[in-house]
Amino acid sequence: MKDFMDKVLEKYPAKTFKSRKEHIVIKKASEAPQKIIANTRTIPGMITNRGCCYAGCKGVVLGPIKDMIHIVHGPIGCSYYTWGTRRNKAKTQPGGQNYIEYCFSTDMQESDIIFGGEKKLRAAITEAVEIFNPKAITISATCPVGLIGDDINAVAVWAEKTYGIQVLSFNCEGYKGVSQSAGHHIANNNLMRSVIGTGTKVPTKKHSINMLGEYNIGGDGWEVARILKKVGYDIVCVMTGDGSYEEIKNAHTAQLNLVQCHRSINYIAEMMEVKYGIPWIKVNFIGATGTTQTLRDIALYFGEPELIEKTEQIIAEEIAEIEGQMQYYKTRLEGKTACLYVGGSRSHHYQTLLRELGVETVVSGYEFAHRDDYEGREVIPSIKLDADSKNIEHLTVEKDEKKYRMILSPEKYEELAKIIPLAKYDGLIKDENEGTIIIDDINHYETEEIIKKLKPDMFFSGIKDKYVVQKMGVMSRQLHSYDYSGPYAGYKGAVIFARDITSGVHTPAWRYVTAPWKVEPLLEGKVVGGDE
Amino acid sequence: MLDLTTKKIVERKALRINPAKTCQPIGAMYAALGVHACLPHSHGSQGCCSYHRMQLTRHFKEPVMATTSAFTEGASVFGGGSNMKTAVKNIFELYAPDIIAVHTTCLSETIGDDLKTMISQVQPDVPEGKYVIHANTPSYAGSHVTGFSSMVKAFVSYLSVNSGTKSNRINVIPGWVEPGDMKEIKRILSLMEIDNILFPDTSGVLDAPMTGTFEMYPEGGTKIEDIIDAGNSKLTLALGTYTSEAAAIELEKKCKVPMKTLGIPIGIEATDRLISELATLTHKAVPSSIEVERGQLVDLMLDSQAYFSGKKVAIYGDPDTVLGLVEFVISLGMIPKFVISGTPGDTFARQINAVLAENEITDAVVKGSADLFELHQLMKNEPVDLLMGNTHGKFIARAEDVPFVRVGFPILDRYAHQYFPIVGYTGAIRLIEMMSNVILDKIDRTCAEEDFELVM
């Protein structure tokens, strides 16, 4: 495998070769720990799948908060492309507002670039307040905003004073950092600084939790909430799928934070622990094994025998309901191979589910994850920020004397840390089988070479890859949008996922790729093109 | 659905809500894909490029390849020259296009990157016989349509040459239409036996077949040598003022090829004008096959007229497309009540109003630089019988229970649209089918059981 990857890299110009080879690791347990280079700048001209800081901030973290108006300060494209394109579902709460179907922009024109756009931004906020009377507004900056020096922070301060509602500004210009990741960080900082902890709810209920880094794609968050509520947990807030402003304000009242997407929300998880004393655990609600393990971890955290018993009872019930179907799909999928290339978390989470279905992962990687997502949080002290990322603000919080609660004693914490992933994430590499290829910021060329060589049965990625992969004769499913299906999380989601990929792999159309009058015979589901 | 849209219209000067346009570079990317073995390149930060590829892919359900200069903060301050140089090197090495078509974003435009100079500086890395061209496509001016137009023009500026030997061909710039439309225009030209150069041409690119092999550069797309040779043609027909005229004017200026602007041939009258023009230019008789198609269209217009007569329509989208649709619905006896484009410019309203005046329609609302929030408000105040436009209208259609025809860009939620035309007589026939289907579906769905008809 190493030889093959070396051969792939040979085609690169020298400088590109040098850089790319550090982003590729072949799992070898005997060499553990293995280091990968990640979160560095994208090489121009490579056909990356990466997006920008604005996408990470507004598109991913802020956008799903349904009852805030998210105004994008920039030319029209940035707001337009985040309009309904990520499937972070949201239901209107009784008497509440829901802006998910809307797209708001200052639609900057040439004159705004020349003379500055602050005046227009102020006017846009005024109009938004007049028409909608929202509870709160966010302003997201786009590329030109930073360059022309519009002070969106000053506008936010003015708007708060003028209209008496919270107006948050995010300097998430697209060129900041090297990917969506910078945007996550910027969004986390301001939610932490200005929203979380400002609610007036008194922490009362037992077993209260927050779900962090869950964006309710295709209803994932709702399926997870269904299970958690069945066990008896009180969900204080979800960040940010189907999220509401009021609930996020009260996030500090929960007793435990569950971190699903480590990459996008670990900043808030860390800061809430420091400021409010709320511990966090890494969870994985993808796949039955992942969900079961997570439910057990949460029960152990609270530690009450009745809760543990109830948890086991619900796990048994849920498993009984899906077992037969999962078994059936496994017979249809067993022995197949998969490649996973998703943003910053799913490439890892879905491997548990694929394993349940008898599918082996042969290549995995992230667009924009950092080394800790690959190698585990223990490497964080050794990560050096490079020039491209060092301008992203690092927010330091302190203990909030009034709101800090000791939820776990240090002794209890230490004891629990041995059995559940308290403030711990092991990363992707440790979970991989021997020989699996791990690639960071994979590009089109590498994708094509890998498919030709490894001939996987399925390739999980995003919309930009989907039809490339399919044209090569390999079943492709999107693990960002779920191809408009879902939920994929939780027990019920596992069955929907299994159904979707089974239908994809076995769909009759694969049989017709080669016309009957062509001589070459064709293997079902293995129509890999190229010169292999 | 869209519960927060108020009936009361508050005039907005700054806040854009639910736009009826997007930004320039995606248009440039689409135009570049209409040239064979061309790789579009986005000179800006990588987010734009990903978004534009995403949106085009979702519309066509096809691979959309493009590269980016992937600006960092440093490049955004000090200029993207070295990013461009690295990109060009990597692109030719790895992806070997015949031509790289560079467009810009609001980032590189705001910092003032000088593309012409940059391109001259990367020439040592451009292999023999290959090209790098560019169009400036600032996102803060115009719309995606402007970007399309600028890129088509850029191909002419960089490539077309008048070699002194006139050819017998005519150039046709089809405007921003679907691959199925481009195929239809080519079919009409071939039925009339007219030698032509159609550019750009995304047929064969964004409707490529499944063969088991991924082709980075599918068979389709206008060949570079044809765009070069366009400078020798005897005439250019620009279909669409907004999308095609700039390139035709450039060709006239640069290569002295005379030009004429017509509308995109949507509907009977615009198609009549195209066919008549072609016949006059080439002194050729219109073949009977085309006359048959026209006759079939008129036959169908008469057959179905009861369901269209007097019905009010709301139409939104890109100026050239909307102009064609407005004229067509009038020919069906319908009333275009609200006509909206997100693309700025006075030409749109002037052209639409001229068509309306000619047909003595007086109380329509025509607005360029408008958005779907406003259109919805207008419809709340005065309901219409049919809504026509891109996918984003489905929310309004559901909220107001209005029959809805998907037409224009983007269509993100339906399959196979790029295979079929809306242009020409055949396209008009298809439009009638789509329009009558949704109108009749609503009657079937909502009428009393005792009024449910077998034959309609």
Side-chain angles (χ1 to χ4, degrees), chain B residues 52 60 67 71 115 140 172 184 194 207 287 315 379-380 428 438 456:
Chain B
H52 299 141
F60 292 107
T67 50
F71 273 56
L115 269 290
Y140 44 74
V172 180
E184 176 63 12
I194 295 171
D207 57 358
I315 300 174
M379 287 168 61
K380 274 183 182 293
V438 294
M456 295 170 91

CSV table of all heavy atoms in Angstrom, one decimal, chain B residues 52 60 67 71 115 140 172 184 194 207 287 315 379-380 428 438 456:
chain,number,residue,atom,x,y,z
B,52,HIS,N,-19.7,26.9,-5.6
B,52,HIS,CA,-20.1,27.0,-6.9
B,52,HIS,C,-20.2,25.6,-7.6
B,52,HIS,O,-21.1,25.3,-8.3
B,52,HIS,CB,-19.3,28.0,-7.7
B,52,HIS,CG,-19.3,29.3,-7.2
B,52,HIS,ND1,-18.2,30.2,-7.1
B,52,HIS,CD2,-20.3,30.1,-6.7
B,52,HIS,CE1,-18.6,31.3,-6.6
B,52,HIS,NE2,-19.8,31.3,-6.3
B,60,PHE,N,-27.2,19.7,-11.9
B,60,PHE,CA,-27.0,18.8,-13.0
B,60,PHE,C,-27.0,17.4,-12.6
B,60,PHE,O,-27.1,16.5,-13.4
B,60,PHE,CB,-25.8,19.2,-13.8
B,60,PHE,CG,-25.9,20.5,-14.6
B,60,PHE,CD1,-25.2,21.6,-14.2
B,60,PHE,CD2,-26.8,20.6,-15.7
B,60,PHE,CE1,-25.4,22.8,-14.8
B,60,PHE,CE2,-26.9,21.8,-16.3
B,60,PHE,CZ,-26.2,22.9,-15.9
B,67,THR,N,-10.9,24.3,-10.1
B,67,THR,CA,-9.8,24.5,-9.1
B,67,THR,C,-9.9,25.8,-8.5
B,67,THR,O,-10.6,26.7,-9.0
B,67,THR,CB,-8.4,24.3,-9.8
B,67,THR,OG1,-8.4,25.2,-11.0
B,67,THR,CG2,-8.2,22.9,-10.2
B,71,PHE,N,-6.9,31.1,-1.4
B,71,PHE,CA,-6.3,32.2,-0.7
B,71,PHE,C,-6.2,32.0,0.8
B,71,PHE,O,-7.2,31.5,1.4
B,71,PHE,CB,-7.1,33.5,-0.9
B,71,PHE,CG,-6.7,34.3,-2.1
B,71,PHE,CD1,-6.7,33.7,-3.4
B,71,PHE,CD2,-6.4,35.6,-2.0
B,71,PHE,CE1,-6.4,34.4,-4.5
B,71,PHE,CE2,-6.1,36.4,-3.1
B,71,PHE,CZ,-6.1,35.8,-4.4
B,115,LEU,N,-5.0,40.3,-12.9
B,115,LEU,CA,-5.0,39.0,-13.5
B,115,LEU,C,-4.2,39.0,-14.8
B,115,LEU,O,-3.6,38.0,-15.1
B,115,LEU,CB,-6.5,38.6,-13.7
B,115,LEU,CG,-7.2,37.8,-12.6
B,115,LEU,CD1,-6.6,36.4,-12.5
B,115,LEU,CD2,-7.1,38.5,-11.3
B,140,TYR,N,-19.7,41.5,-6.2
B,140,TYR,CA,-20.5,42.6,-5.7
B,140,TYR,C,-21.1,43.5,-6.9
B,140,TYR,O,-21.6,44.6,-6.6
B,140,TYR,CB,-19.7,43.5,-4.7
B,140,TYR,CG,-18.3,43.8,-5.2
B,140,TYR,CD1,-18.1,44.7,-6.2
B,140,TYR,CD2,-17.2,43.1,-4.6
B,140,TYR,CE1,-16.8,45.0,-6.7
B,140,TYR,CE2,-15.9,43.4,-5.1
B,140,TYR,CZ,-15.7,44.3,-6.1
B,140,TYR,OH,-14.4,44.5,-6.5
B,172,VAL,N,-23.3,31.2,-33.0
B,172,VAL,CA,-24.5,31.4,-32.1
B,172,VAL,C,-24.1,31.3,-30.7
B,172,VAL,O,-23.4,30.3,-30.2
B,172,VAL,CB,-25.5,30.3,-32.4
B,172,VAL,CG1,-26.8,30.5,-31.6
B,172,VAL,CG2,-25.9,30.3,-33.9
B,184,GLU,N,-30.9,21.5,-28.6
B,184,GLU,CA,-32.0,21.8,-29.4
B,184,GLU,C,-31.7,22.9,-30.4
B,184,GLU,O,-32.1,22.9,-31.6
B,184,GLU,CB,-33.2,22.3,-28.5
B,184,GLU,CG,-34.5,22.8,-29.3
B,184,GLU,CD,-35.1,21.7,-30.1
B,184,GLU,OE1,-34.8,20.5,-30.0
B,184,GLU,OE2,-36.0,22.1,-31.0
B,194,ILE,N,-27.3,24.9,-41.5
B,194,ILE,CA,-26.5,26.0,-41.4
B,194,ILE,C,-25.2,25.7,-40.6
B,194,ILE,O,-25.3,25.2,-39.5
B,194,ILE,CB,-27.3,27.1,-40.6
B,194,ILE,CG1,-28.5,27.6,-41.4
B,194,ILE,CG2,-26.4,28.3,-40.2
B,194,ILE,CD1,-29.5,28.5,-40.6
B,207,ASP,N,-24.4,16.7,-19.3
B,207,ASP,CA,-25.4,15.6,-19.4
B,207,ASP,C,-24.7,14.3,-19.9
B,207,ASP,O,-25.2,13.6,-20.7
B,207,ASP,CB,-26.5,16.0,-20.4
B,207,ASP,CG,-26.0,16.5,-21.8
B,207,ASP,OD1,-24.8,16.4,-22.0
B,207,ASP,OD2,-26.8,16.8,-22.6
B,287,PRO,N,-37.2,24.3,-43.5
B,287,PRO,CA,-37.6,23.0,-43.9
B,287,PRO,C,-39.0,22.6,-43.3
B,287,PRO,O,-39.4,23.1,-42.3
B,287,PRO,CB,-36.5,22.1,-43.2
B,287,PRO,CG,-35.9,23.0,-42.2
B,287,PRO,CD,-36.0,24.4,-42.6
B,315,ILE,N,-43.7,35.1,-12.5
B,315,ILE,CA,-42.5,34.5,-13.1
B,315,ILE,C,-41.2,35.3,-12.5
B,315,ILE,O,-41.2,36.5,-12.4
B,315,ILE,CB,-42.4,34.8,-14.7
B,315,ILE,CG1,-43.7,34.1,-15.3
B,315,ILE,CG2,-41.2,34.2,-15.3
B,315,ILE,CD1,-43.8,34.3,-16.8
B,379,MET,N,-47.7,38.2,-4.0
B,379,MET,CA,-48.6,37.1,-4.2
B,379,MET,C,-49.6,36.9,-3.1
B,379,MET,O,-50.8,36.5,-3.3
B,379,MET,CB,-47.9,35.8,-4.4
B,379,MET,CG,-47.2,35.7,-5.8
B,379,MET,SD,-46.0,34.3,-5.9
B,379,MET,CE,-47.1,32.9,-5.7
B,380,LYS,N,-49.2,37.3,-1.9
B,380,LYS,CA,-50.1,37.3,-0.7
B,380,LYS,C,-51.2,38.3,-0.9
B,380,LYS,O,-52.4,38.1,-0.5
B,380,LYS,CB,-49.4,37.5,0.6
B,380,LYS,CG,-48.8,36.3,1.2
B,380,LYS,CD,-48.1,36.7,2.5
B,380,LYS,CE,-47.5,35.5,3.2
B,380,LYS,NZ,-48.4,34.5,3.7
B,428,ALA,N,-41.2,24.8,-26.4
B,428,ALA,CA,-42.5,25.4,-26.0
B,428,ALA,C,-43.5,24.3,-25.8
B,428,ALA,O,-44.4,24.4,-24.9
B,428,ALA,CB,-42.9,26.3,-27.1
B,438,VAL,N,-49.3,20.9,-14.1
B,438,VAL,CA,-49.5,21.3,-12.7
B,438,VAL,C,-50.8,22.0,-12.5
B,438,VAL,O,-51.4,21.9,-11.4
B,438,VAL,CB,-48.3,22.3,-12.3
B,438,VAL,CG1,-47.0,21.5,-12.2
B,438,VAL,CG2,-48.2,23.5,-13.1
B,456,MET,N,-60.1,15.6,-19.4
B,456,MET,CA,-59.9,17.1,-19.1
B,456,MET,C,-59.3,17.7,-20.4
B,456,MET,O,-58.7,17.1,-21.2
B,456,MET,CB,-59.1,17.3,-17.9
B,456,MET,CG,-59.8,16.9,-16.6
B,456,MET,SD,-58.7,16.9,-15.2
B,456,MET,CE,-58.9,18.5,-14.6
